[in-house]
Amino acid sequence: RWQKIFMIPLWSKMAVFWNKMFLTIIVLLIVLFLDAIREVRKYSAVHVNEKAANVNANAFDHIQMKLFRSQRNLYISGFSLFLWLVLRRTVTLLTQLAKGMASHAALETQVNDATEAARKYMAENERLQEALSEKEGSKKKESAEATDEKLKKEIEHLKAELQKTSDALKKASNEVTVVKKQSEGLKREYDHLMKGYEWLQ
């Protein structure tokens, strides 16, 4: 009910001017309080002087009336200033409490939803584990045979690749020996040609 009342758009419009109104009222109350203190001091000093001077009763009563009014203004302004500050503090505390209660309620709903979802997921997980355990018992043999066949095929494939690489290595070593022999023959011919060149010179 209070949330519905405070959600009226009139309060949001007034909230813009609320701080300014609060500050102006505080300044006004402080000015009135200081003025009341000044009046009390003035009329209390005059009251003492008039009492000492023993003037006529009408003037003395008039001064007492002024002193009473200034004291009354002092008490009213001081008490209203105090109550205004207390009211401001209580309003801020109530708004903070309302926000905290709203966030607490939202968090409670989120926690409840999360716990329900976790329970559902745990139940589904248990069902899936039971189903998997039942299926694994029947499929273990088939999977073992299939893995054995795959491993055998991979071994045969690796053996064939190893044979190919060994054949290629033999061919490469034969080619290296042929190249070495050719280089030795070329070296011999080069030496023979150098000797013939020297003999011609």
Side-chain angles (χ1 to χ4, degrees):
R1 186 181 299 171
W2 284 109
Q3 286 180 358
K4 288 180 181 179
I5 290 170
F6 284 116
M7 289 299 288
I8 297 171
L10 176 66
W11 303 115
S12 61
K13 292 178 181 178
M14 287 178 64
V16 180
F17 304 102
W18 173 248
N19 288 324
K20 294 179 181 178
M21 285 171 56
F22 173 73
L23 290 174
T24 52
I25 291 171
I26 286 289
V27 170
L28 182 63
L29 288 174
I30 289 170
V31 168
L32 290 174
F33 183 71
L34 293 175
D35 184 59
I37 289 172
R38 185 183 62 82
E39 290 287 326
V40 166
R41 284 183 180 176
K42 183 175 81 172
Y43 287 114
S44 62
V46 172
H47 175 72
V48 171
N49 292 330
E50 292 293 331
K51 193 174 182 181
N54 290 324
V55 250
N56 57 0
N58 290 329
F60 186 71
D61 290 337
H62 184 72
I63 292 167
Q64 279 187 336
M65 184 185 66
K66 292 276 188 181
L67 180 62
F68 171 74
R69 286 182 181 176
S70 61
Q71 287 174 349
R72 181 198 62 187
N73 292 336
L74 175 67
Y75 296 146
I76 290 172
S77 60
F79 195 64
S80 59
L81 179 63
F82 174 72
L83 285 180
W84 191 249
L85 292 171
V86 170
L87 180 67
R88 172 69 173 180
R89 183 61 181 163
T90 49
V91 166
T92 53
L93 289 175
L94 284 173
T95 52
Q96 289 176 2
L97 182 63
K99 288 178 183 177
M101 289 173 69
S103 63
H104 182 68
L107 286 173
E108 281 185 353
T109 54
Q110 287 179 359
V111 167
N112 292 328
D113 293 338
T115 51
E116 289 178 359
R119 287 175 185 172
K120 289 179 182 178
Y121 289 142
M122 290 292 288
E124 288 179 0
N125 192 9
E126 288 177 358
R127 290 175 187 172
L128 289 172
Q129 284 180 356
E130 289 176 358
L132 285 172
S133 62
E134 290 176 356
K135 289 181 180 179
E136 281 176 358
S138 61
K139 290 184 177 179
K140 271 184 181 178
K141 295 179 181 178
E142 297 176 358
S143 63
E145 292 176 357
T147 52
D148 288 338
E149 289 178 358
K150 286 181 181 178
L151 288 172
K152 286 179 182 178
K153 288 180 182 179
E154 287 180 359
I155 289 168
E156 290 176 357
H157 181 67
L158 290 172
K159 283 182 179 178
E161 287 184 354
L162 184 62
Q163 188 66 34
K164 287 179 182 178
T165 52
S166 61
D167 292 336
L169 184 62
K170 287 179 182 178
K171 286 180 183 179
S173 61
N174 291 329
E175 289 177 357
V176 168
T177 53
V178 169
V179 169
K180 281 183 180 179
K181 289 178 181 179
Q182 287 178 358
S183 65
E184 288 177 357
L186 287 172
K187 196 174 183 181
R188 289 172 188 170
E189 289 180 1
Y190 180 73
D191 292 337
H192 182 66
L193 287 172
M194 287 297 291
K195 287 178 181 178
Y197 179 71
E198 287 176 359
W199 182 73
L200 285 174
Q201 281 183 350

